Amino acid sequence: MSETSLSALSSESRRFDPPAGLAAAANVTADAYKHAAEDRSGFWAEQAGRLTWERPWDTVLDWQPPFATWFGGGRLNVSVNCLDRHVEAGLGDRVAYHWVGEPQEDRRTITYAELLAEVSKAAHALTELGVEAGDRVCIYLPMIPEAAIAMLACARIGAAHSVVFGGFSAQALIDRITDADAKLVITSDGGYRRGAPSALKPAVDEAVAQCPSVQNVLVVRRTGQDVAWGAKDLWWHDLVDHQPSTHSPEAFDAEQPLFLLYTSGTTGKPKGILHTSGGYLTQVAWTHWAVFDLKPETDVYWCTADVGWVTGHSYTVYGPLANAATSVLYEGTPDAGGKDRWWSIVEEFKVSILYTAPTAIRTFMKWGDELPRGRDLSSLRVLGSVGEPINPEAWMWYREVIGGGRCPIVDTWWQTETGAMMIAPLPGVTSCKPGSAMGPLPGISVDVVDHDGHGVGETGGGYLTLDEPWPAMLRGIWNDEQRFRDTYWSKFAGRYFAGDGAKWDENHVLWLLGRVDDVMNISGHRISTTEVESALVSHPSVAEAAVVGAADDTTGQAIVAFVTLTAAATAQDVGEPLLKDLRDHVAKEIGPIAKPKQIVIAPELPKTRSGKIMRRLLVDIAERRELGDVTTLADPTVVSAINDTMGAAVDGR
Ligand code: WTA
């Protein structure tokens, strides 16, 4: 983030108090901060009491940095907490999901009783396929109810799921299946994208051919498109539908692995972030209830995140279901069937809590106020934001145009690794500044530190660290303890380093300043520069690649790649076809989401005398700012050569 935006942030003086009515009836009051600060583990034990345990825990927390055991000795079943106990409490007829397919008329309403029956059948089916507690199951599905059903069925039998975002490529799938040693893949023929069926199964077929660990592929029929059929393939409707609709689940240890979710790090290989059961569910359930002020009897909640990302895990599936909430689940893109599709969904289902990402908000700003203004959004009462810093301008637009000036906005900072929200206002308590996530939630402790790990005090900027363990914290990186220690716990001894910069302003209000490492944030999704660089270099025409994230009005950051070509490729007449080929190659290696927005063919990359690529400089070039210090640059003429070739770059995804 630039110097000017830093100073602009610290001058933000607007404040928005909680609406009086909401504050008066709020689930959580200011006392929670004091109470949690006095007895952090007591506070979390109280929140764990929101869940149903088959056996109570012996100890709340055993902390052997960097390894935590939360609620040790306790036993529970996550799916029972999300389903059975609500049905037993008489809530079987409550809607769990209003599912909205991408095609206009596609609807499915699923009550808690129905969801329990579906999950029970799927659990029997997994068992029939030989999936056991402790195994890993890969889920590669569009946003259809079976995605949540499959996740809960895994949880029910104690298997860990590894959901892979449907936009990832076969190669990404191979890497994730192989690392997790997954036994089963659950997928579909395809899903709908912008009005047309888009295939999913071919990527699975390609992956399974290279992944001997996979014994079966369970295929949901969604689009009805033709699919190739192999010996390991089974239709979901053939196997699951005839299973018994009741299932007696076993309780598992609080630390039973619940899921792996792969996320980008600063080196090429994605990391399998491991989450477990009791602590995770405690924190997602509590934060979902507290931060959205959820009233499960009356609210209709909609988290727009795909289940392929952590937000979809914690706040589309586990948090809302643990709280017996009614949610909307939407399959499509924001513009499918019209650019006011989201607002028509809010109107139709009377959505009262909306949780989405700044990149979407900025897109809607561009599309104009008329679309949301043409719909009745008066049901909304709380708005949430996640995934990247929300700029004050977008925050104000969200508040005024979507929230009608009456809804508090909760900007929530957290990560795949934290599992649940960490920094956020409480809607009935906090007087919010536009663009700020305000401060740590009750029970959470953060410390902004300087280079040497010293706290910066009440005001000032530095590195964001978490200096106390929290229940939903990652328990490790799958199969790689050393990387877990190195990545998160070695920069500042004994504390978790999140990779983000942060700053306390003059009112001791916290501002998140984005990543300080080589991880880009594209539309709220983390992609590492190295990952894209490796993909580019694996193309036969590329000699060297340097990838940076450049500021982008809509997506937060955009991927800009600088590449040098091999002598053979240089000798040929390159031009547009090669650029297209490179972008397609990245899409094939990682997924369309990682396609560079711009590729610059450069004669050379700017390097320091020690041979390190000067990324800062490339960011400046990509953003066309005045150049920073180039005195350490080995060959300063490289910069002007790159600037000259910027004209030859292609734009657009
Ligand atoms: C960024 C998404 C500012 C941050 C839940 C973090 C945010 C990364 C915010 C994690 C926010 C997420 N304000 N930045 N409210 N929320 N981030 O793992 O850089 O996909 O480290 O988890 O997103 O991304 P992840």
Side-chain angles (χ1 to χ4, degrees):
M1 193 163 272
S2 70
E3 290 293 320
T4 38
S5 48
L6 264 182
S7 52
L9 288 181
S10 62
S11 66
E12 179 60 70
S13 57
R14 287 172 292 188
R15 286 247 165 167
F16 294 89
D17 289 335
L22 193 152
N27 288 350
V28 183
T29 64
D31 289 348
Y33 290 102
K34 191 166 159 281
H35 169 51
E38 283 162 8
D39 178 7
R40 194 180 312 281
S41 60
F43 171 82
W44 286 118
E46 207 174 293
Q47 309 322 327
R50 301 173 55 78
L51 305 181
T52 300
W53 296 79
E54 194 232 30
R55 182 188 187 282
W57 56 87
D58 303 317
T59 36
V60 177
L61 170 65
D62 177 21
W63 180 222
Q64 312 286 337
F67 295 102
T69 301
W70 281 89
F71 310 113
R75 293 179 74 80
L76 80 171
N77 183 292
V78 168
S79 97
V80 166
N81 273 279
C82 291
L83 302 168
D84 307 57
R85 64 175 181 146
H86 304 321
V87 175
E88 279 158 27
L91 304 177
D93 291 338
R94 181 178 292 172
V95 174
Y97 289 117
H98 291 289
W99 178 75
V100 180
E102 190 185 283
Q104 281 290 355
E105 303 308 320
D106 232 351
R107 297 281 184 283
R108 226 173 121 186
T109 303
I110 305 170
T111 63
Y112 273 90
E114 288 163 347
L115 190 58
L116 172 57
E118 293 303 319
V119 169
S120 298
K121 290 188 209 171
H124 284 297
L126 296 191
T127 303
E128 190 178 316
L129 293 178
V131 179
E132 291 172 4
D135 286 343
R136 273 82 48 209
V137 173
C138 174
I139 299 176
Y140 187 66
L141 282 171
M143 283 286 278
I144 53 176
E146 284 78 5
I149 293 167
M151 291 163 77
L152 291 160
C154 290
R156 195 163 187 92
I157 63 169
H161 52 73
S162 162
V163 182
V164 177
F165 173 57
F168 279 133
S169 67
Q171 187 56 49
L173 206 46
I174 291 169
D175 296 342
R176 287 158 176 76
I177 292 173
T178 305
D179 189 72
D181 208 19
K183 229 182 194 176
L184 174 72
V185 179
I186 304 179
T187 188
S188 66
D189 46 1
Y192 285 94
R193 273 208 80 76
R194 303 209 157 85
S198 150
L200 272 183
K201 186 154 183 298
V204 175
D205 294 343
E206 200 181 325
V208 169
Q210 295 189 46
C211 296
S213 68
V214 176
Q215 296 171 359
N216 285 109
V217 179
L218 193 52
V219 189
V220 177
R221 184 148 67 200
R222 165 64 188 130
T223 60
Q225 65 201 112
D226 285 340
V227 289
W229 208 247
K232 296 179 175 179
D233 298 343
L234 294 156
W235 283 113
W236 175 284
H237 55 261
D238 284 344
L239 184 72
V240 177
D241 288 1
H242 72 265
Q243 301 285 344
S245 59
T246 56
H247 177 269
S248 321
E250 207 185 308
F252 298 98
D253 194 272
E255 290 293 345
Q256 177 80 8
L258 180 63
F259 65 86
L260 296 179
L261 187 57
Y262 286 83
T263 189
S264 292
T266 51
T267 65
K269 194 172 159 246
K271 303 176 295 219
I273 303 299
L274 171 65
H275 283 288
T276 59
S277 302
Y280 171 80
L281 198 63
T282 295
Q283 195 178 335
V284 296
W286 183 76
T287 51
H288 180 256
W289 176 80
V291 174
F292 295 125
D293 189 45
L294 178 82
K295 311 289 192 221
E297 304 77 25
T298 48
D299 274 319
V300 177
Y301 163 84
W302 182 18
C303 168
T304 65
D306 190 282
V307 289
W309 311 109
V310 74
T311 308
H313 284 60
S314 301
Y315 298 104
T316 302
V317 178
Y318 291 113
L321 294 178
N323 288 327
T326 294
S327 300
V328 168
L329 191 66
Y330 171 54
E331 180 184 31
T333 51
D335 56 353
K339 287 187 167 146
D340 67 343
R341 187 71 190 271
W342 277 24
W343 316 122
S344 77
I345 292 172
V346 169
E347 184 179 72
E348 178 180 346
F349 294 98
K350 300 195 168 33
V351 172
S352 56
I353 303 171
L354 178 68
Y355 191 30
T356 191
T359 185
I361 298 165
R362 289 190 296 263
T363 301
F364 294 128
M365 283 173 79
K366 272 203 301 213
W367 289 349
D369 298 7
E370 301 71 34
L371 297 168
R373 290 211 198 278
R375 295 287 181 172
D376 179 4
L377 307 183
S378 61
S379 54
L380 290 170
R381 62 178 202 96
V382 178
L383 302 175
S385 174
V386 61
E388 55 178 315
I390 176 167
N391 40 313
E393 206 188 334
W395 196 100
M396 288 303 298
W397 185 88
Y398 197 23
R399 180 179 162 89
E400 294 306 325
V401 180
I402 304 305
R406 59 175 197 282
C407 307
I409 296 180
V410 286
D411 174 17
T412 62
W413 179 92
W414 57 292
Q415 306 179 297
T416 304
E417 293 87 342
T418 70
M421 296 169 186
M422 301 294 283
I423 301 170
L426 288 174
V429 177
T430 317
S431 171
C432 292
K433 289 192 177 193
S436 167
M438 302 305 292
L441 286 166
I444 301 299
S445 178
V446 311
D447 197 9
V448 179
V449 302
D450 65 18
H451 223 80
D452 301 319
H454 301 305
V456 298
E458 291 283 297
T459 59
Y463 301 92
L464 178 68
T465 67
L466 305 170
D467 57 349
E468 296 286 348
W470 64 100
M473 67 195 290
L474 76 167
R475 299 303 200 265
I477 294 176
W478 189 250
N479 277 337
D480 206 341
E481 179 178 331
Q482 196 54 47
R483 192 170 176 206
F484 173 59
R485 292 179 183 276
D486 293 347
T487 310
Y488 304 111
W489 304 94
S490 65
K491 190 168 170 76
F492 304 108
R495 52 178 71 203
Y496 174 88
F497 173 50
D500 282 20
K503 176 187 157 114
W504 296 111
D505 74 8
E506 67 281 9
N507 305 115
H508 196 57
V509 160
L510 195 59
W511 295 82
L512 279 317
L513 304 177
R515 306 287 307 179
V516 300
D517 54 20
D518 292 335
V519 177
M520 301 172 287
N521 191 322
I522 315 298
S523 298
H525 302 307
R526 280 157 65 181
I527 297 172
S528 84
T529 54
T530 357
E531 234 172 319
V532 182
E533 284 166 5
S534 325
L536 284 166
V537 175
S538 72
H539 188 282
S541 299
V542 175
E544 226 183 350
V547 166
V548 296
D552 183 277
D553 284 348
T554 307
T555 55
Q557 285 189 312
I559 303 177
V560 179
F562 296 84
V563 298
T564 62
L565 301 178
T566 58
T570 310
Q572 291 162 5
D573 193 13
V574 286
E576 297 275 325
L578 176 65
L579 295 175
K580 181 176 181 304
D581 199 36
L582 292 180
R583 296 175 69 250
D584 290 346
H585 182 70
V586 174
K588 183 166 179 301
E589 291 294 308
I590 306 172
I593 194 169
K595 269 191 189 179
K597 182 169 183 189
Q598 213 172 31
I599 297 180
V600 182
I601 309 277
E604 254 179 277
L605 299 177
K607 291 183 184 156
T608 61
R609 277 166 220 288
S610 65
K612 242 173 121 47
I613 290 174
M614 301 177 76
R615 286 171 186 289
R616 217 34 261 171
L617 190 69
L618 291 176
V619 172
D620 286 344
I621 292 171
E623 294 176 352
R624 293 165 207 242
R625 282 206 299 256
E626 296 219 346
L627 297 183
D629 182 19
V630 290
T631 50
T632 53
L633 186 61
D635 177 5
T637 59
V638 172
V639 177
S640 51
I642 291 174
N643 268 327
D644 290 346
T645 33
M646 279 299 275
V650 272
D651 260 304
R653 282 193 166 200

